[in-house]
Amino acid sequence: MLDEASEALRFNRRLLQSALESVPQGICAFDADFNITAWNGRFIELLDLPRDLVHVGLPLAELIAFNVDRGEYAAAELGALLVNRDLTTQSFPYTYERTRPDGTVLEIVYDRIAEGGYVSTYTDVTERHRAADALRRANEDLEQRVTERTEALERARAEAEQANLGKTRFLAAASHDLLQPLNAARLFLSALDESLRASPADAAKPGGKDQMLVGSAITALRSTERMLDTLLDISSYDSRAVQAELGDFAIAELLAQLTIEFSALARERGLSLRVIGCSLAVRSDPHLLRRILQNLLSNAVRYTPRGEILLGCRRRGADLRIEVWDTGVGIAAEDQARIFEEFQRLTPGRDKGLGLGLAIVDRISRLLGHAVDVRSRHGHGSCFAVTVPLASGGGAALRPEPASEPALPGAGELSLTVLCLDNDAMILQGLTALLAGWGHRVVVAEDPPAALAAASACRPDVVLLDYHLDGGRNGLDVLDDLRQSSRGRFRALVITGDRSEEVRRSAKARGCDVLLKPVKPAALRRFLGGEALSRQLAANQGSDQA
């Protein structure tokens, strides 16, 4: 019986040992005092232990001391060893990892045995760590490449924007030099045209050859001016020279101004313009919003051969949708995005435009933050709309816009003394010819000292100043000096090719009007006509008091 019992024990031990050896993890069992009671070959292999070192009853502390002597543990790993932990508070199973000097990473798990003692398992997780490291490195490389690519794209975008801003700033800066000869030519041609009209020899033949040639030259010059004005406007929007000045105003006043401006043009084209009134107030920049609607109405007139144009408003919650409808040629769906690009003319209109009107609309709407959209079907007309926020309170009154072609002054118009300051002699000659033809006395100066001397010798009624002068000074600086030294008050007008808001704000702060080059003679005559009327009224009041 003892032999059979011993054989059974040996069989069970061999069976247990075979089971332990077949497990891919290293296994080591300890009694309650942390003395080794059993282990498998994988334990010896994973820890690279001498086979004669491990035996039943070997204390775990001696095994750790052996490993410390051969540099198995890093300083940070000593605290993770079970023998260095408080077993009364330690929770089981207890798991930690350590890296052997050869780079092998072991996951070590200690757990209690129900009969008393502990069992530990050792699993080689080196490949798992390598895979995780490889994945981490791949993610880091990918993130690095994405970062580098993003930075490269940002640099390219910044360079493109800088190049575009450089181009637009150059065009804006060069506008003064570009416009000077055009301005002079316009002044000379206008003076010649009026001289021919007033000439007794030509009066009998209003359609004379000379007058026709001058008229053709003026028409060609106006076309060039319109093109250059549009290009400079786009330049000013792209270079952020124009800033929106938001305010609350009644939309009805703007609609009334547009009605006056476009009714006659629509009638000339055989079209009917219908404007539906609106009593609401909006928050926007009135001048920039007016420019958007002007361009939309101009396009409607240009591309509507027959029928009707409608301008009206619809309330949409806290916004007002201002719509321009026409019965024109319409726009195919695939073309409705590109019409807002520069120089896009999908179909020929009655008069050949530049294809820049909607590009300006797009830039102004983005500047104002107003959405612009289009609905159209080819051959069935179009609807362009701009959505504007409603004002929180009542809107202020708009300053009325003057008519595009004012009535010419009569023979009784009061003559004015006009001081002209410009650093271009050709401009001064052109202004002299034009203003003298209107019956005004002209005093010219090419630099600020000459202007101050002229104003001291003869007090002017009106001062016309170029903004960009030589010597680092501008026309508004000289205007301050003139007002300080002048014995009386006078009106001032800055004539400039600079379209920036800074110039307009500075002029407005000094109570000074601005005309953009090339100067339109009708606009200049309107300004002087208003000044002459003011002088006439003042003279009449003085004579009444006398």
Side-chain angles (χ1 to χ4, degrees):
M1 291 176 62
L2 288 173
D3 289 342
E4 290 176 358
S6 297
E7 183 63 27
L9 287 173
R10 283 193 296 273
F11 174 77
N12 288 337
R13 184 176 180 82
R14 286 195 301 272
L15 182 62
L16 177 61
Q17 190 67 37
S18 298
L20 290 176
E21 292 298 336
S22 65
V23 175
Q25 285 87 12
I27 297 175
C28 186
F30 304 89
D31 59 20
D33 296 323
F34 286 105
N35 298 313
I36 293 177
T37 57
W39 65 95
N40 65 358
R42 185 64 173 158
F43 169 74
I44 300 293
E45 179 184 341
L46 286 176
L47 272 68
D48 192 22
L49 297 171
R51 291 192 175 273
D52 58 352
L53 173 67
V54 180
H55 56 84
V56 175
L58 177 69
L60 178 59
E62 290 186 17
L63 182 59
I64 292 174
F66 174 81
N67 281 333
V68 168
D69 290 341
R70 63 177 185 165
E72 279 283 327
Y73 303 119
E77 294 175 337
L78 292 173
L81 299 174
L82 187 64
V83 293
N84 295 328
R85 302 185 70 84
D86 184 359
L87 296 180
T88 60
T89 59
Q90 180 63 53
S91 59
F92 289 92
Y94 169 57
T95 304
Y96 69 96
E97 290 183 353
R98 77 176 179 89
T99 303
R100 295 196 62 239
D102 62 0
T104 303
V105 181
L106 299 177
E107 181 186 69
I108 303 170
V109 180
Y110 281 90
D111 206 353
R112 291 182 184 276
I113 301 175
E115 291 77 9
Y118 304 88
V119 64
S120 61
T121 60
Y122 300 78
T123 306
D124 186 349
V125 294
T126 306
E127 288 303 319
R128 187 173 74 192
H129 274 257
R130 286 175 181 167
D133 288 343
L135 181 60
R136 184 174 61 255
R137 285 194 300 272
N139 287 336
E140 290 174 353
D141 291 344
L142 180 60
E143 289 176 1
Q144 181 66 23
R145 287 198 297 272
V146 169
T147 301
E148 290 174 355
R149 183 60 177 161
T150 302
E151 290 175 353
L153 289 173
E154 283 294 322
R155 285 195 300 271
R157 183 182 64 81
E159 289 172 2
E161 287 183 353
Q162 192 62 35
N164 188 52
L165 283 176
K167 174 200 68 177
T168 53
R169 282 173 182 157
F170 167 77
L171 189 56
S175 62
H176 179 265
D177 295 332
L178 289 169
L179 292 171
Q180 287 290 81
L182 279 177
N183 191 35
R186 181 66 182 270
L187 293 172
F188 281 121
L189 281 173
S190 297
L192 179 58
D193 182 50
E194 296 202 8
S195 175
L196 288 173
R197 291 175 186 273
S199 171
D202 201 57
K205 15 174 216 173
K209 181 180 178 181
D210 290 344
Q211 191 170 340
M212 289 178 62
L213 290 174
V214 171
S216 298
I218 290 176
T219 301
L221 190 60
R222 281 176 181 164
S223 177
T224 304
E225 288 173 0
R226 282 197 299 269
M227 180 184 294
L228 190 56
D229 281 345
T230 305
L231 290 172
L232 290 175
D233 282 342
I234 287 183
S235 169
S236 63
Y237 296 130
D238 285 345
S239 62
R240 303 183 182 94
V242 176
Q243 300 295 325
E245 296 183 1
L246 301 178
D248 297 345
F249 59 92
I251 196 65
E253 298 181 45
L254 182 54
L255 297 180
Q257 294 174 11
L258 292 169
T259 303
I260 296 171
E261 183 176 350
F262 284 92
S263 291
L265 181 60
R267 280 195 303 271
E268 287 177 8
R269 305 298 178 92
L271 303 173
S272 169
L273 173 63
R274 189 156 60 99
V275 179
I276 300 175
C278 178
S279 60
L280 297 174
V282 296
R283 181 163 186 79
S284 181
D285 183 312
H287 302 294
L288 293 178
L289 180 59
R290 176 189 173 90
R291 184 71 188 277
I292 290 177
L293 296 175
Q294 282 176 323
N295 282 5
L296 295 181
L297 286 168
S298 295
N299 264 21
V301 171
R302 179 176 292 118
Y303 294 105
T304 304
R306 67 184 64 85
E308 183 180 10
I309 297 170
L310 173 68
L311 173 62
C313 305
R314 300 176 191 268
R315 183 168 186 165
R316 290 288 185 266
D319 297 321
L320 187 69
R321 182 180 165 88
I322 308 171
E323 300 179 349
V324 177
W325 292 79
D326 65 64
T327 57
V329 295
I331 306 162
E334 61 270 18
D335 294 327
Q336 291 178 15
R338 69 184 182 94
I339 58 174
F340 292 96
E341 299 173 3
E342 297 89 344
F343 303 105
Q344 293 295 326
R345 293 191 299 267
L346 303 182
T347 55
R350 298 188 182 192
D351 53 341
K352 188 177 180 181
L354 298 174
L356 293 171
L358 291 180
I360 290 178
V361 167
D362 178 59
R363 283 163 169 79
I364 298 177
S365 65
R366 283 190 276 116
L367 176 64
L368 294 174
H370 299 345
V372 173
D373 61 86
V374 57
R375 288 178 291 158
S376 182
R377 206 153 50 99
H378 188 62
H380 293 79
S382 306
C383 172
F384 286 84
V386 55
T387 302
V388 185
L390 290 169
S392 54
L398 292 179
R399 194 169 116 188
E401 295 282 345
S404 57
E405 289 295 333
L408 296 179
E413 182 185 73
L414 189 66
S415 176
L416 300 172
T417 299
V418 182
L419 171 61
C420 301
L421 170 61
D422 200 299
N423 57 356
D424 191 316
M426 293 294 291
I427 298 291
L428 292 177
Q429 292 177 26
L431 280 172
T432 301
L434 185 63
L435 296 177
W438 293 344
H440 301 302
R441 181 188 178 194
V442 184
V443 181
V444 299
E446 291 190 25
D447 53 58
L452 290 169
S456 298
C458 178
R459 183 175 63 83
D461 299 312
V462 178
V463 177
L464 306 182
L465 311 103
D466 186 16
Y467 182 77
H468 293 284
L469 300 172
D470 297 330
R473 302 195 71 198
N474 61 57
L476 293 175
D477 295 333
V478 180
L479 176 60
D480 294 337
D481 296 341
L482 286 170
R483 284 178 170 164
Q484 203 167 25
S485 63
S486 176
R487 292 169 295 173
R489 300 184 62 184
F490 54 80
R491 286 278 302 279
L493 177 68
V494 170
I495 299 176
T496 180
D498 193 328
R499 284 162 160 73
S500 68
E501 284 299 313
E502 180 183 355
V503 172
R504 291 186 179 276
R505 281 196 298 267
S506 298
K508 185 178 179 181
R510 292 168 169 83
C512 181
D513 292 324
V514 175
L515 272 185
L516 294 177
K517 293 181 180 179
V519 172
K520 295 178 176 59
L524 179 57
R525 194 162 194 174
R526 182 190 311 120
F527 174 81
L528 296 175
E531 180 62 22
L533 180 60
S534 300
R535 297 284 180 186
Q536 184 66 61
L537 290 175
N540 292 342
Q541 289 175 359
S543 62
D544 290 343
Q545 291 173 0

